[in-house]
Amino acid sequence: MTDLNEGRLDLHRSRARLIAFSAAAAVVFAVLGARLFQLQILSGTAYADRALASRTVVEPIRAPRGLVFDREGRPLVVNVASWTVKARPADLPSARVDEVIGVVARITGVDARAMRARYRAFSGSPYDLVPLARGVSREAALLVGEQRAQLPGIVVEVDPVRRYLDDSAKQNGSLLSHLIGYTGAVSGDELQRLAAQGYLPDDVIGRDGVEASYESTLRGRYGSRLLERDASGRPVKVISTKTPAIPGKNLMLTVDARVQRLAEEALAWGMQAAKVKQGVTIVMNPQTGEILAMVSLPTYDNNKFATGIRATDYAAYLADPNRPLRNHAISDIYPPGSTFKLVTGLAALQEGVTTPERTWPTYGCYQIPGAAPGDCLFDWNHAGFGPLDMIQAFAVSSDTFFYQMAVHLGVDRLAKWANTLGFGAPTGIRLPGEAAGIVASTKWAQQQGRPSVYTGELAQAGIGQNVIAVTPLQLLNAYAAVANGGKLMRPMVVRGETDAAGTLIRPYAPEVLRTLAATSEHLQLMRVGARQVITTGHAYNIRDLALPGQLSGKTGTAEFGTPKPDGSLPFHSWFVAFLPSRAGAADAQLAVLTFTYSATVPGNVSTEVVKYFLQKYFALRQDLRLDPVTFARVGRSQN
Amino acid sequence: MGIATSSLTGTVRARQSRGFDLQLLLFVSLLIAFGVLMGYSVGFSGAAGSGLSQTVKTLIWIGIGLTLFFVAASVDYHWLETFTWPIYVLVLALLGVNLLIGRDINGAQLSLTIAGLDFQFSEIAKVLMIVVLASYLTKRRERIGRLSTIVGAAVLMGIPTVLVFRQPDLGTALVFVAILGGMLFMAGASIGWMGVTAGVTIGVAPLAVNALHAYQRQRLFCFLDPGQDPQGACYQLVQALNAVGSGGWFGQGLTAGEHNRLGYLPVQSTDFIYTVVAEELGLVGGLVLLALLALLVWRILVIGWGARDALGTLVAAGLASMILFQVLVNVGMVMGIMPVTGIPLPFITYGGSSMISLLFGMGILQSIRMNARKPTF
């Protein structure tokens, strides 16, 4: 060993400090290594999971919406490709938004302000697409595509939209719009509620009819896939499909589009002939509750809604006093008039107020019990009919007979039977917007702030006036329950689910809501009464139709509103009928109701409409229609 | 060890032949290669501009750095002692100029562009200040135990520290402080007085923290609870932890790290490079890199211990302190045990000034080695 300090300008070298320094260095590296081990091995899985979650997005896979067929397998709702102009905010410089949307507006003809508002209102990821204009023409879509260089952030996508067809597979959005409804863009409020169910910002949702009430069935279930994205949020590649999309189910309506067309034609003729502005025709199978046709006029074009309705079109619909957007068959309530005598009569028989054989005097004017002398209610026949039993009274529609029935029943027994027959509550048909109607009762009167219903009101309730209000569907369904032998059915519009070709693969079962606690004798008696309404000629010449059964039914006229200058009131006209094989039988397969709003003609428009419908439905060579104003024969029978 | 070195460097002539330290060169070369590889991987992702051009730039810097390394290695390091004061003035001037006209990088003035290449003076200032401080402490070696030595050194180091801090570059300022502490310790300064000084420094630290920009302050304290602002100030740290944690034993493969590839680490080529190492090469790769850095620190300490004089020992101590501290803060930062400050990882972080400065320092070390006394162990 040589001299260690040779020539050294040395300070005292401390081995201890070197060791201390080295130890500190060793500790530093050991801590870092240990921390690395902890992060990567001990809790590596947790970090890796978190890392995966933070750099992936779950992207929805849209499920195609289910189609709709009629009961014969005719397609009524199909999905067609439509061009939608969308904007991706991430690629659209905010300084150029107005300018770019302006160009898009010029090309597509869509209001620039509306598009700008839609763009501004969007609050999702800047990589999401904001739909600006749906249902753009192919030419406009191509133009937008060509000018892509001048339109940063604008993309044209093909989206499916609903197309609504009629019985001849033509695009026709007015034949079935109240039944089928339409789809519309999901609103911000709805989105908050529905986002958990997979609804997307640019999604559609059923807005009316079956589109709304069978929304979850038609929609199917959206799937999702895992997309990897980079730090700026741009999707890079698909990692995996988490859940596949389940296409919406195809539905078959109970409705026969051809029958629907016949019903609409018949109703439109009658309304036009009588200058009536609103009307309803419903055709039903009373055994099952299946709706074969449901027409509410005026109607609207649901194809206008399929790509987002123009504000002017929508305003016009809203401004129309006849409210075309409403399904009058289920959403509006009217006094049922004499058709309600079925309820009063059945209740009186069941509650022992009368017997089938017992006759009651009838009057020109019925003195209200307990009221001042002379305070009486007129019969429509101011002469009165003399003594009548139930069948006779129903056949000639004696008002004073049923005043007496109602007064002897009392309001709550009448209400009980009205409720049993489905009045005062929605029928449960799976269509949105069904009204409950009004059935007078003590409780109802107390809710109005009075002890009970006045006797005069009660008497009038017995003939379906004043304190009784029903939807056309409720009335038809009550008649159907009597016609089928006592089962109150839930009216159904959807027959079941089909395959893609429209073949029924999963039928929905008809549902009996309740069995009426009425004897079959009494039910049969009411059916016989209904048959006699026709045979006695109370419904004019409809008895002369050569139908494959014994048409039974009831007319009704319900006065309402304010008297005209000549003292007459406008009235609603009803006709409800069913077709058993023989008088009194409970085997009717067809029940029809027509309601016309505010007629001022001498004839019963609704009877004429049903007559015309039956002629068409059974393809009769007869044409027995009477002009509702002049009572002259409209057409000529072909034989 | 020295014996082995001697035999390996037998071809180098004259008295220098004894000392050329192949181990130092080996560790440095491996680290540089590691860094180039990681830089390539980051560049490959396209997240940090065009990858190749960045790698080429790095190679140019390495070329310049290696030239400096060999120049410094071949000259007796005592010239540094001669030029101590000019060097000190130069450091202050550079930092002053930088503070006045420096370019903005991420909100802080950190570099000047010379001939198209960004240069951060603070990097070279670190190495130059090690030399200045070593020279000062060598001169004070008779009075090394006094408080005045500590105060003098602190003042000497304090001026450039404040200049750097004002840029604002908290990280580099902290490195200066670490160098000062490490060198004083290895110089044999009074432990007691150092403790007092450290206490005073810690006492005034809140003032320094207050002088920071809000964004720096927020980032600084993310490591205590990264969840406090995962999308904002702590975003980098959260993503870094996720990336490191995703590495597992062997990593996701070079250039295949998901966070790196998808650009989740905004400054991954600079301060967060270790996350890429950990994500793509896993625990094994991360430990290999730490081991290389540990070997380098160890080798520097060995060279310092065997230096011919105090100057050499202290320069080595300074370089070891600097590298150790930078590794601790940089690697600790991406693993959430150190505050987030912009301190580069020696030889790995992309950056010409850091590379040149480090290679210059390694060159001085090589010179120290070659002018060392005979092996003592």
Side-chain angles (χ1 to χ4, degrees):
Chain A
M1 283 290 171
T2 50
D3 178 14
L4 297 182
N5 291 318
E6 182 190 11
R8 253 174 89 100
L9 298 166
D10 209 354
L11 45 93
H12 176 66
R13 290 190 300 149
S14 163
R15 188 172 285 270
R17 292 209 177 182
L18 176 68
I19 290 169
F21 192 99
S22 305
V27 166
V28 164
F29 283 104
V31 165
L32 292 178
R35 173 67 171 167
L36 189 63
F37 181 78
Q38 185 210 351
L39 284 180
Q40 297 201 290
I41 308 303
L42 299 183
S43 46
T45 320
Y47 280 107
D49 289 351
R50 245 175 46 192
L52 185 68
S54 80
R55 67 162 189 272
T56 51
V57 273
V58 177
E59 192 201 56
I61 308 171
R62 287 164 202 262
R65 199 172 171 89
L67 309 180
V68 181
F69 299 90
D70 85 343
R71 68 180 298 121
E72 301 296 326
R74 299 182 187 98
L76 298 179
V77 184
V78 292
N79 296 322
V80 295
S82 158
W83 278 270
T84 307
V85 179
K86 302 181 180 184
R88 194 191 301 280
D91 297 335
L92 177 48
S94 47
R96 293 192 59 195
V97 169
D98 284 353
E99 169 216 333
V100 167
I101 287 183
V103 175
V104 173
R106 256 201 315 285
I107 296 173
T108 58
V110 176
D111 183 33
R113 258 177 315 164
M115 279 197 285
R116 239 173 262 141
R118 225 166 287 160
Y119 185 80
R120 297 260 150 74
F122 183 75
S123 59
S125 151
Y127 289 93
D128 282 352
L129 289 168
V130 190
L132 294 179
R134 294 179 195 273
V136 169
S137 75
R138 188 168 173 276
E139 292 69 31
L142 288 175
L143 260 176
V144 170
E146 275 171 22
Q147 303 207 8
R148 210 167 21 214
Q150 284 78 48
L151 299 172
I154 298 294
V155 285
V156 179
E157 287 207 330
V158 177
D159 281 343
V161 296
R162 304 294 257 179
R163 178 166 292 167
Y164 301 104
L165 311 176
D166 63 10
D167 55 320
S168 54
K170 286 203 194 78
Q171 178 170 350
N172 178 350
S174 58
L175 181 64
L176 290 142
S177 51
H178 288 120
L179 278 165
I180 292 175
Y182 54 90
T183 59
V186 65
S187 74
D189 289 349
E190 287 170 327
L191 195 59
Q192 293 199 330
R193 195 160 39 79
L194 295 170
Q197 295 169 41
Y199 281 80
L200 307 172
D202 60 345
D203 223 328
V204 295
I205 187 170
R207 282 278 173 239
D208 193 11
V210 168
E211 289 271 32
S213 57
Y214 283 82
E215 167 70 17
S216 58
T217 313
L218 288 168
R219 178 181 167 82
R221 208 161 56 233
Y222 282 20
S224 62
R225 59 188 168 198
L226 210 54
L227 276 187
E228 188 178 63
R229 56 179 183 170
D230 65 12
S232 52
R234 196 184 299 268
V236 178
K237 68 166 190 207
V238 177
I239 296 177
S240 65
T241 298
K242 288 178 84 181
T243 49
I246 301 171
K249 298 205 166 63
N250 304 318
L251 296 181
M252 173 177 279
L253 299 187
T254 59
V255 171
D256 182 328
R258 187 186 67 93
V259 178
Q260 176 85 5
R261 171 173 296 286
L262 300 182
E264 188 195 62
E265 284 171 359
L267 180 61
W269 164 77
M271 286 169 61
Q272 195 262 333
K275 303 206 167 32
V276 170
K277 296 287 185 285
Q278 298 176 32
V280 169
T281 291
I282 312 172
V283 184
M284 181 191 243
N285 179 341
Q287 302 298 330
T288 59
E290 288 173 288
I291 301 293
L292 301 175
M294 182 184 278
V295 180
S296 171
L297 291 180
T299 181
Y300 68 94
D301 180 357
N302 53 1
N303 277 319
K304 284 187 179 174
F305 287 87
T307 54
I309 188 163
R310 285 166 196 275
T312 49
D313 287 344
Y314 194 58
Y317 280 145
L318 290 181
D320 188 327
N322 296 309
R323 295 180 300 174
L325 293 177
R326 278 177 87 87
N327 184 352
H328 300 305
I330 61 168
S331 299
D332 287 311
I333 57 174
Y334 312 97
S338 297
T339 57
F340 196 70
K341 289 169 182 166
L342 180 87
V343 183
T344 314
L346 187 63
L349 289 169
Q350 282 298 131
E351 298 292 332
V353 169
T354 185
T355 63
E357 296 77 27
R358 179 169 172 186
T359 58
W360 295 69
T362 60
Y363 312 95
C365 195
Y366 170 66
Q367 170 66 44
I368 301 169
D375 200 351
C376 70
L377 292 167
F378 281 103
D379 199 296
W380 69 269
N381 177 351
H382 290 204
F385 297 96
L388 296 173
D389 65 16
M390 178 63 75
I391 288 181
Q392 292 166 334
F394 193 70
V396 300
S397 198
S398 164
D399 290 340
T400 54
F401 181 90
F402 287 97
Y403 292 149
Q404 295 173 78
M405 295 301 111
V407 168
H408 282 90
L409 275 166
V411 70
D412 288 321
R413 286 199 292 180
L414 180 63
K416 181 184 95 182
W417 281 94
N419 292 332
T420 300
L421 283 157
F423 296 102
T427 64
I429 191 172
R430 273 192 65 181
L431 287 175
E434 197 185 5
I438 298 167
V439 171
S441 65
T442 307
K443 202 173 141 204
W444 173 81
Q446 282 166 355
Q447 281 165 1
Q448 316 268 310
R450 48 204 174 116
S452 185
V453 173
Y454 303 121
T455 309
E457 285 178 325
L458 171 58
Q460 287 190 308
I463 65 159
Q465 289 275 19
N466 200 339
V467 288
I468 300 287
V470 306
T471 68
L473 181 64
Q474 281 176 337
L475 187 63
L476 179 61
N477 205 38
Y479 270 79
V482 172
N484 68 24
K487 292 169 298 181
L488 187 75
M489 305 301 295
R490 181 197 291 273
M492 55 194 291
V493 278
V494 175
R495 205 176 161 205
E497 294 161 12
T498 76
D499 61 13
T503 309
L504 194 62
I505 50 173
R506 191 174 156 242
Y508 294 165
E511 187 186 342
V512 180
L513 289 177
R514 71 180 72 95
T515 304
L516 304 183
T519 64
S520 54
E521 290 76 22
H522 292 159
L523 288 168
Q524 189 185 19
L525 186 131
M526 295 316 294
R527 288 194 294 271
V528 170
R531 175 60 187 158
Q532 291 203 6
V533 170
I534 308 298
T535 53
T536 55
H538 200 73
Y540 307 100
N541 63 351
I542 200 168
R543 62 181 168 184
D544 299 331
L545 282 178
L547 293 169
Q550 304 290 307
L551 189 71
S552 315
K554 186 75 193 77
T555 56
T557 49
E559 294 178 335
F560 74 100
T562 49
K564 302 208 134 208
D566 63 358
S568 70
L569 283 163
F571 58 90
H572 303 314
S573 143
W574 297 87
F575 186 68
V576 52
F578 49 97
L579 191 66
S581 60
R582 55 195 162 73
D587 60 356
Q589 301 289 320
L590 187 73
V592 191
L593 171 143
T594 290
F595 163 79
T596 47
Y597 181 90
S598 186
T600 51
V601 292
N604 186 314
V605 194
S606 295
T607 307
E608 298 307 318
V609 170
V610 171
K611 188 193 298 171
Y612 190 28
F613 168 75
L614 291 172
Q615 289 173 185
K616 286 164 165 285
Y617 181 81
F618 290 107
L620 304 181
R621 293 186 177 182
Q622 298 170 297
D623 188 353
L624 304 182
R625 281 180 290 163
L626 302 176
D627 185 305
V629 182
T630 62
F631 289 97
R633 285 281 291 277
V634 171
R636 216 178 330 167
S637 298
Q638 291 171 329
N639 51 351
Chain B
M1 193 59 72
I3 293 160
T5 310
S6 301
S7 62
L8 280 168
T9 56
T11 53
V12 181
R13 291 194 304 111
R15 70 178 177 129
Q16 293 175 355
S17 68
R18 186 198 263 140
F20 192 87
D21 195 299
L22 265 195
Q23 287 192 54
L24 181 69
L25 188 60
L26 177 68
F27 300 149
V28 167
S29 305
L30 287 175
L31 282 168
I32 290 175
F34 208 117
V36 170
L37 208 60
M38 295 322 297
Y40 170 75
S41 177
V42 169
F44 188 82
S45 75
S50 92
L52 190 61
S53 82
Q54 182 153 324
T55 306
V56 168
K57 263 190 187 173
T58 306
L59 291 175
I60 292 174
W61 287 121
I62 291 168
I64 298 172
L66 282 175
T67 308
L68 270 175
F69 172 85
F70 284 110
V71 168
S74 57
V75 175
D76 188 325
Y77 64 95
H78 285 94
W79 68 272
L80 295 168
E81 206 168 17
T82 316
F83 291 105
T84 298
W85 292 108
I87 289 173
Y88 187 57
V89 171
L90 177 70
V91 165
L92 296 188
L94 288 178
L95 291 177
V97 166
N98 193 21
L99 189 58
L100 289 175
I101 59 168
R103 245 180 63 190
D104 244 21
I105 289 187
N106 295 334
Q109 297 165 334
L110 296 177
S111 70
L112 279 175
T113 304
I114 297 170
L117 296 172
D118 284 345
F119 201 85
Q120 299 183 33
F121 290 130
S122 54
E123 287 299 322
I124 196 72
K126 287 191 288 200
V127 175
L128 294 180
M129 278 311 296
I130 287 170
V131 168
V132 170
L133 210 56
S135 178
Y136 170 77
L137 291 173
T138 304
K139 287 197 181 76
R140 301 271 309 181
R141 64 190 176 281
E142 305 302 334
R143 292 156 289 171
I144 199 72
R146 293 191 192 167
L147 175 61
S148 60
T149 304
I150 295 174
V151 172
V155 169
L156 209 56
M157 200 59 154
I159 296 169
T161 304
V162 168
L163 286 176
V164 168
F165 182 76
R166 289 284 305 279
Q167 280 186 350
D169 182 359
L170 175 66
T172 305
L174 287 175
V175 175
F176 278 139
V177 174
I179 289 169
L180 176 65
M183 288 179 73
L184 280 173
F185 182 79
M186 288 303 282
S190 155
I191 298 286
W193 284 123
M194 280 179 73
V196 170
T197 314
V200 171
T201 311
I202 291 168
V204 299
L207 295 176
V209 170
N210 264 340
L212 291 173
H213 287 251
Y215 77 91
Q216 282 180 310
R217 256 204 313 275
Q218 254 181 318
R219 248 175 33 149
L220 197 57
F221 294 110
C222 275
F223 81 102
L224 297 176
D225 176 19
Q228 60 176 302
D229 189 8
Q231 290 304 317
C234 302
Y235 175 81
Q236 289 180 8
L237 181 56
V238 168
Q239 293 299 339
L241 286 173
N242 288 346
V244 171
S246 305
W249 285 101
F250 301 106
Q252 301 173 359
L254 198 65
T255 74
E258 300 288 356
H259 288 77
N260 172 29
R261 196 166 57 72
L262 299 173
Y264 276 91
L265 302 163
V267 286
Q268 77 268 54
S269 60
T270 54
D271 295 343
F272 282 76
I273 189 72
Y274 194 74
T275 60
V276 182
V277 176
E279 185 185 31
E280 299 193 341
L281 304 178
L283 181 69
V284 171
L287 288 181
V288 164
L289 179 54
L290 284 180
L292 278 175
L293 289 163
L295 283 171
L296 177 68
V297 170
W298 171 75
R299 196 65 208 159
I300 293 169
L301 288 175
V302 165
I303 289 170
W305 188 249
R308 197 177 71 195
D309 55 11
L311 184 68
T313 304
L314 288 173
V315 167
L319 288 169
S321 304
M322 177 181 87
I323 291 173
L324 182 64
F325 183 77
Q326 291 194 190
V327 170
L328 170 66
V329 175
N330 180 286
V331 177
M333 163 184 86
V334 304
M335 295 196 300
I337 52 174
M338 281 283 150
V340 177
T341 50
I343 293 182
L345 187 57
F347 295 109
I348 307 297
T349 291
Y350 166 80
S353 10
S354 171
M355 181 63 74
I356 286 178
S357 312
L358 281 163
L359 283 171
F360 177 56
M362 294 302 108
I364 297 171
L365 268 180
Q366 202 58 265
S367 171
I368 291 168
R369 183 62 180 173
M370 291 189 289
N371 293 292
R373 57 210 157 103
K374 294 186 181 97
T376 60
F377 51 142

